[in-house]
């Protein structure tokens, strides 16, 4: 008798869980604060207890357990303890694993902050880009296989819609168009489509949904990423964390939608799609349950590449001094600091190592 | 083939126009007033108003945009007594008593900060960036092809493994990180041995006040910029060589009694060159943006330094000129790469 062997869960998945839980445990040991706390400056992501000076309100509480390993804050500490090389204790008894910079700030604290920001940006951008481009790609591939037949005037209407919508999106970003305006616009468009469907009955044209992704990609492909980022930063002057993530998603979206549509087009021509569509399964069910699961491996590859690229883009912007500004520390700005003060090689070295390591990690993530 | 090239060119032209429109309209919409910017604090309202009028900022936005596009386009029909005609450099043909037909270079206006024409600023910067990108792609292709051949010939040995590990790390190193690393090691720690400067451009002013060419300043930026292409070209060469070594014609050649050197260098390498050449030319475009960072590290006064400085100063015409130039470069190189595919591989035909 043949026995079917159950597929074992690979060790690497378990390894990831071990790494994540060890990280959280370490954080809880060192820092009695919750993992992510909402402070008065928005979302605070300080995971280690970076403060050891008494003036800091977090540590002033008697009920707070004192941290096991005193990690000095990424805070200015002028005096003779500044510019310490790695693996040194300062006069307050803090251990500086990666040394301090010229203002006495602990590089390790900055390194950890930068790590969290980089991981967050990489994961957010990768996951959301992948989700949206998966939806766009599958819709494109499906309607390439089973085209929607429409009348000629309706097609003209769709083309006008496709040209006007990006313009209106631009207006709404610049504040010239409100949310109510969008609702009116959409009501007008849907109403016109419904009227056209009632009036014009001869359906001799195809709605070219599959070409949308292609044109999208053809437009964005020759434009360098960096130039688009520079222009966007020039407009908004000061960019937020969420804004940067949104821009990076929009930048990576065309390539992702085109790549996944190409893969989905192969799947759409498989026999099981024909079978389910003749059985009368609904469109959304076919897309969600019969096409998307088969794209899992491709999406993982795409996500890993996107994550490493997003990290490099963010640090590049911070390096040029035009990245997001706020409460956090980015590896790019630490590298910039190290460039301006060459005698402190450790300030630039550790973020560079971290950047390369993290982007390599994300790049080989899909090999699990 | 020709039709395909024309269609691609038309599409690229469309992209450039769209980019110019979008970028200029978005930047002109931003809250900063360029007229105030060019005078600073020491100005009265009348002067600023006059400057606004001179820059055309009192016009509605669509009109401003059309004026910018008029300045940008190489062929234009305008009034004979229009003062902007003095800034155009080109040939004029009289059409009627009032109108004139001009064929000209794109006029990119004047910088808000220094008042110099943008074209002049770009003309100084672009050759420096081009030399940098060209030298590093040359270095990268030489080194990359040699390493790739070595790792393909010594397939399965430690040479290949070392080359692959090094190229993987080199690929994920951002160019500015490499640049800082080289700057610290070769221009700071080993400065007495190498004699290289930490910062410096190709064109420098010496003590007598003359412009001199310092070739020494090119070494570190070229190496820093070239490291990433080296790893890409190594991997490309290796995979192309290995793919070709599996082909039946190699077996035939071996059966014919040819030596393995002849097979590797004359037969396999020649066939493997196709993806390598297209890969190299594709990377040349992205090197121009990669140079942005390396230039900023070494303060090499190319396109990157000028653009970032203009962005921080909000010098709109310079940013616009640099962005449009970069886009044009990208579009042109992409079209050339597309056409190069069919030149290097006769099996590919465009219809």
């Amino acid at each position: 008798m043949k026995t079917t062997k159950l597929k074992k869960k690979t060790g690497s998945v378990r390894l990831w869980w071990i790494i994540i839980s060890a990280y959280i445990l370490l954080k809880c040991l060192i820092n009695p604060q919750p993992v992510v706390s909402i402070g008065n400056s928005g979302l605070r992501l300080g995971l280690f207890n970076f403060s050891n000076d008494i003036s800091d309100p977090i540590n002033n509480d008697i009920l707070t357990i004192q941290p096991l390993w005193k990690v000095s804050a990424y805070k200015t500490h002028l005096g003779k303890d500044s510019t310490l090389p790695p693996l040194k204790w300062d006069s307050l008894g803090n251990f500086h694993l990666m040394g301090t910079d010229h203002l006495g700030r602990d590089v390790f604290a900055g390194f950890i902050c930068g790590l969290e920001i980089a991981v967050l940006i990489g994961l957010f951008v990768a996951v959301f880009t992948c989700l949206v481009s998966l939806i766009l790609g599958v819709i494109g591939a499906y309607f390439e296989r089973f085209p929607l037949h429409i009348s000629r005037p309706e097609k003209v209407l769709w083309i006008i819609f496709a040209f006007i919508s990006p313009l209106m999106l631009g207006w709404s970003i610049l504040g010239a168009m409100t949310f109510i305006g969008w609702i009116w616009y959409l009501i007008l468009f849907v109403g016109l489509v419904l009227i056209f469907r009632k009036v014009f009955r001869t359906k001799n044209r195809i709605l070219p949904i599959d070409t949308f992704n292609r044109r999208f990609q053809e437009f964005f492909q020759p434009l360098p990423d960096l130039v688009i980022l520079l222009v966007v930063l020039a407009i908004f002057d000061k960019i937020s964390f969420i804004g940067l993530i949104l821009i990076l998603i929009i930048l990576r979206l065309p390539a992702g939608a085109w790549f996944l549509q190409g893969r989905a087009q192969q799947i759409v021509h498989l026999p099981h799609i024909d079978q389910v569509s003749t059985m009368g399964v609904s469109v959304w069910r076919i897309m969600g349950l019969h096409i998307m699961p088969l794209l899992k491996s491709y999406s993982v590859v795409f996500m890993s590449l996107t994550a490493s690229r997003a990290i490099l883009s963010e640090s590049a912007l911070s390096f040029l001094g035009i990245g997001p500004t706020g409460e956090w520390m980015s590896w790019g700005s630490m590298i910039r600091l190290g460039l301006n003060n060459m005698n402190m090689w450790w300030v630039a070295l550790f973020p560079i190592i971290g950047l390369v390591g993290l982007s390599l990690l994300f790049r080989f993530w899909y090999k699990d | 083939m020709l039709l395909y090239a024309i269609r691609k060119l038309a599409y690229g032209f469309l992209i450039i126009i769209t980019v110019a429109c979008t970028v200029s309209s978005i930047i002109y919409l931003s809250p900063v007033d360029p007229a105030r910017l060019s005078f600073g604090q020491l100005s009265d309202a009348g002067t600023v108003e006059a400057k606004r009028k001179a820059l055309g900022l009192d016009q509605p936005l669509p009109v401003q945009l059309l004026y910018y596009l008029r300045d940008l386009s190489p062929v234009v029909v305008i009034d004979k007594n229009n003062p902007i005609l003095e800034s155009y450099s080109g040939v004029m043909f009289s059409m009627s008593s009032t109108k004139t037909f001009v064929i000209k270079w794109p006029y990119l206006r004047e910088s808000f900060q220094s008042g110099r024409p943008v074209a002049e600023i770009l003309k100084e910067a672009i050759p420096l960036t081009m030399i940098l990108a060209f030298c590093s792609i040359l270095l990268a292709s030489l080194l990359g092809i040699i390493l790739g051949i070595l790792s393909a010939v010594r397939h399965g040995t430690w040479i290949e493994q070392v080359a692959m590990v090094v190229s993987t790390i080199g690929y994920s190193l951002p160019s500015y990180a490499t640049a800082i690393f080289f700057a610290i090691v070769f221009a700071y720690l080993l400065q007495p041995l190498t004699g290289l400067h930490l910062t410096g451009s190709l064109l420098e002013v010496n003590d007598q006040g003359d412009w001199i060419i310092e070739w020494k300043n090119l070494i570190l930026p070229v190496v820093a910029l070239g490291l990433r292409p080296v790893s890409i070209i190594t991997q490309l060469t290796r995979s192309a060589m290995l793919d070709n070594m599996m082909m039946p014609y190699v077996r035939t050649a071996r059966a014919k009694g040819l030596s393995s050197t002849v097979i590797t260098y004359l037969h396999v390498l020649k066939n493997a060159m196709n993806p390598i050449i297209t890969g190299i030319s594709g990377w040349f475009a992205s090197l121009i943006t990669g140079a942005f960072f390396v230039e900023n590290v070494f303060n090499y006064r190319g396109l990157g330094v000028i653009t970032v400085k203009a962005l921080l100063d909000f010098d709109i015409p310079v940013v616009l000129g640099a962005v449009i130039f970069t886009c044009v470069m990208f579009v042109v190189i992409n079209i050339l790469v597309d056409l190069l595919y069919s030149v290097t591989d006769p099996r590919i035909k465009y219809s």
Side-chain angles (χ1 to χ4, degrees):
Chain A
M1 211 176 89
K2 237 182 166 179
T3 49
T4 48
K5 213 171 155 187
L6 269 174
K7 202 184 164 191
K8 261 191 185 172
K9 210 174 184 183
T10 46
S12 48
V13 175
R14 210 168 294 154
L15 187 73
W16 279 107
W17 282 113
I18 290 170
I19 290 172
I20 292 167
S21 40
Y23 187 67
I24 293 172
L25 203 71
L26 190 69
K27 259 168 52 168
C28 294
L29 273 179
I30 292 174
N31 180 9
Q33 273 182 285
V35 176
V36 175
S37 63
I38 310 289
N40 49 6
S41 57
L43 194 65
R44 257 184 85 135
L45 298 151
L47 300 196
F48 287 92
N49 196 353
F50 288 137
S51 52
N52 60 351
D53 48 350
I54 304 153
S55 62
D56 199 274
I58 305 166
N59 240 14
N60 240 354
D61 200 346
I62 299 167
L63 291 175
T64 335
I65 311 154
Q66 283 303 306
L68 293 179
W69 175 15
K70 270 183 162 186
V71 178
S72 166
Y74 193 79
K75 265 185 182 164
T76 320
H77 189 271
L78 286 169
K80 61 184 174 193
D81 289 337
S82 58
T83 331
L84 280 176
L87 300 171
K88 285 268 161 42
W89 276 268
D90 65 7
S91 55
L92 289 172
N94 291 308
F95 179 59
H96 296 292
L97 186 68
M98 297 181 181
T100 58
D101 62 10
H102 62 303
L103 295 174
R105 296 178 292 190
D106 185 43
V107 177
F108 180 65
F111 181 82
I112 295 296
C113 284
L115 174 73
E116 281 163 7
I117 288 300
V119 169
L120 266 180
I121 283 188
L123 287 183
F124 262 97
V125 171
V127 168
F128 282 100
T129 315
C130 189
L131 272 181
V132 179
S133 55
L134 199 63
I135 291 166
L136 285 177
V138 168
I139 287 175
Y142 181 85
F143 287 107
E144 189 244 347
R145 176 80 177 81
F146 306 102
L148 270 183
H149 291 280
I150 52 170
S151 60
R152 198 175 185 170
E154 200 190 320
K155 187 168 174 179
V156 175
L157 197 68
W158 277 102
I159 290 170
I160 293 170
F161 177 70
F163 273 95
I164 290 181
S165 300
L167 207 72
M168 299 187 93
L169 200 67
W171 284 353
S172 57
I173 288 170
L174 293 166
M177 195 166 154
T178 53
F179 183 66
I180 305 294
W182 268 100
I183 290 174
W184 280 116
Y185 173 65
L186 288 179
I187 286 174
L188 179 77
F189 178 72
V190 172
L192 274 175
V193 166
L194 289 178
I195 290 167
F196 273 43
R197 287 206 174 158
K198 280 268 183 267
V199 175
F200 305 104
R201 296 288 179 146
T202 47
K203 296 188 171 175
N204 49 2
R205 287 289 183 279
I206 292 168
L207 188 62
I209 297 175
D210 56 317
T211 37
F212 171 74
N213 285 338
R214 200 165 136 216
R215 296 275 169 262
F216 198 33
Q217 152 77 352
E218 273 184 354
F219 181 74
F220 270 92
Q221 191 229 337
L223 297 179
D225 284 8
L226 183 74
V227 168
I228 299 175
L229 280 171
L230 290 184
V231 167
V232 171
L233 291 170
I235 306 156
F236 293 109
D237 196 28
K238 203 176 162 188
I239 195 160
S240 67
F241 187 63
I242 305 292
L244 183 76
I245 286 178
L246 274 177
I247 295 165
L248 288 175
I249 288 173
I250 292 168
L251 277 179
R252 295 266 65 81
L253 202 58
W258 179 233
F259 170 71
L260 289 176
Q261 183 182 324
R263 298 293 163 271
Q265 273 169 352
Q266 294 171 355
I267 287 161
V268 154
H269 288 278
L270 289 177
H272 78 277
I273 302 293
D274 274 339
Q275 285 169 14
V276 288
S277 74
T278 41
M279 278 161 68
V281 178
S282 79
V283 177
W284 307 111
R285 208 180 157 79
I286 293 175
M287 285 186 200
L289 290 181
H290 299 281
I291 302 175
M292 271 190 199
L294 296 179
L295 284 169
K296 206 174 100 185
S297 57
Y298 297 114
S299 347
V300 170
V301 172
F302 175 70
M303 261 172 26
S304 72
L305 294 178
T306 310
S308 69
R309 268 189 89 155
I311 290 167
L312 292 185
S313 300
E314 188 271 331
S315 61
L317 286 179
S318 312
F319 170 72
L320 289 179
I322 44 182
T325 47
E327 287 286 301
W328 53 81
M329 197 62 208
S330 169
W331 279 345
S333 39
M334 287 174 78
I335 294 172
R336 185 174 185 77
L337 188 71
L339 171 68
N340 294 336
N341 310 62
M342 283 270 177
N343 53 341
M344 309 180 297
W345 50 267
W346 53 91
V347 176
L349 184 72
F350 292 113
I352 289 176
I353 292 173
L355 207 59
V356 174
L358 197 64
S359 69
L360 274 177
L361 203 72
F362 273 122
R363 208 171 276 275
F364 291 104
W365 171 24
Y366 66 86
K367 294 214 166 160
D368 289 350
Chain B
M1 175 81 189
L2 190 69
L3 209 71
Y4 178 80
I6 290 168
R7 220 182 64 195
K8 270 272 170 191
L9 219 61
Y11 201 79
F13 190 68
L14 208 71
I15 287 172
I16 289 163
I17 287 187
T18 321
V19 167
C21 279
T22 328
V23 169
S24 50
S25 67
I26 287 173
I27 289 186
Y28 277 112
L29 272 176
S30 58
V32 179
D33 186 2
R36 268 226 89 80
L37 215 77
S38 48
F39 288 115
Q41 289 184 322
L42 298 164
S43 67
D44 57 311
T47 329
V48 172
E49 205 52 44
K51 183 76 180 172
R52 279 182 72 84
K53 210 160 202 137
L55 291 173
L57 291 172
D58 51 342
Q59 309 273 357
L61 185 81
V63 178
Q64 280 185 39
L65 215 122
L66 283 178
Y67 277 159
Y68 192 79
L69 287 182
R70 181 198 68 188
D71 288 354
L72 212 60
S73 92
V75 185
V76 82
V77 178
I78 52 170
D79 276 356
K80 263 183 180 166
N81 50 2
N82 199 326
I84 198 100
L85 267 175
E86 288 173 15
S87 336
Y88 290 167
S89 61
V91 195
M92 273 181 254
F93 301 102
S94 192
M95 276 173 73
S96 65
S97 56
T98 52
K99 296 272 173 189
T100 177
F101 176 78
V102 187
I103 300 174
K104 62 177 175 67
W105 285 103
Y107 173 54
L108 294 168
R109 307 214 165 162
E110 284 163 358
S111 159
F112 289 155
Q113 294 284 332
S114 60
R116 289 168 66 208
V118 175
E120 203 179 284
I121 297 175
L122 290 184
K123 225 180 269 173
E124 282 173 10
I126 287 165
L128 295 182
T129 304
M130 284 296 167
I131 289 171
L132 178 59
F134 192 74
C135 285
S136 54
I137 203 79
L138 207 69
L139 178 85
S141 29
L142 276 177
L143 212 67
I145 289 174
I146 291 170
L147 278 177
I149 291 171
L150 257 178
S151 56
V153 171
R154 300 262 181 275
H155 182 52
T157 60
W158 63 271
I159 296 176
E160 191 203 15
Q161 285 169 0
V162 167
M164 284 305 102
V165 168
V166 168
S167 66
T168 313
I169 292 171
Y171 181 70
S172 37
L173 264 171
S175 55
Y176 59 89
T178 337
I180 292 172
F181 181 75
F182 282 132
I184 291 177
V185 172
F186 293 108
Y188 182 75
L189 296 176
L190 298 177
Q191 215 274 335
L193 286 175
T194 55
L196 297 170
H197 302 305
L198 204 56
T199 59
S201 185
L202 187 60
L203 280 172
E204 285 286 342
V205 184
N206 66 1
D207 296 339
Q208 279 81 40
D210 304 322
W211 288 97
I212 47 160
I213 297 181
E214 279 267 13
W215 290 106
K216 207 164 68 176
N217 286 339
L218 199 63
I219 298 170
L220 284 179
V222 163
V223 174
L225 193 59
L227 193 70
R228 220 163 160 221
V230 164
S231 44
I232 302 277
I233 292 167
T234 308
Q235 293 194 353
L236 261 177
T237 314
R238 177 183 157 272
S239 60
M241 292 275 283
L242 287 181
D243 278 355
N244 269 287
M245 278 175 178
M246 299 292 148
M247 293 271 181
Y249 74 83
V250 175
R251 205 186 320 139
T252 314
R254 205 156 273 160
K256 229 163 60 176
L258 286 180
S259 71
S260 65
T261 326
V262 172
I263 293 175
T264 313
Y265 293 103
L266 286 183
H267 292 236
V268 174
L269 185 62
K270 199 175 155 197
N271 280 298
M273 272 325 259
N274 182 22
I276 301 169
I277 288 172
T278 45
I280 289 169
S281 44
W283 261 88
F284 186 69
S286 46
L287 269 191
I288 293 169
T289 47
F292 270 57
F293 302 104
V294 175
E295 282 172 8
N296 269 289
V297 171
F298 292 105
N299 200 13
Y300 183 93
R301 277 186 294 280
L303 204 59
V305 168
I306 280 177
T307 315
V308 172
K309 194 171 167 295
L311 257 175
L312 295 178
D313 294 346
F314 219 84
D315 201 346
I316 297 167
V318 179
V319 178
L320 274 181
V323 164
I324 290 170
F325 174 78
T326 321
C327 287
V328 170
M329 282 298 299
F330 256 70
V331 168
V332 168
I333 290 175
N334 268 311
I335 293 168
L336 284 182
V337 169
D338 262 19
L339 297 179
L340 206 68
Y341 273 122
S342 66
V343 174
T344 52
D345 191 349
R347 283 172 297 181
I348 298 172
K349 284 231 158 43
Y350 294 115
S351 52

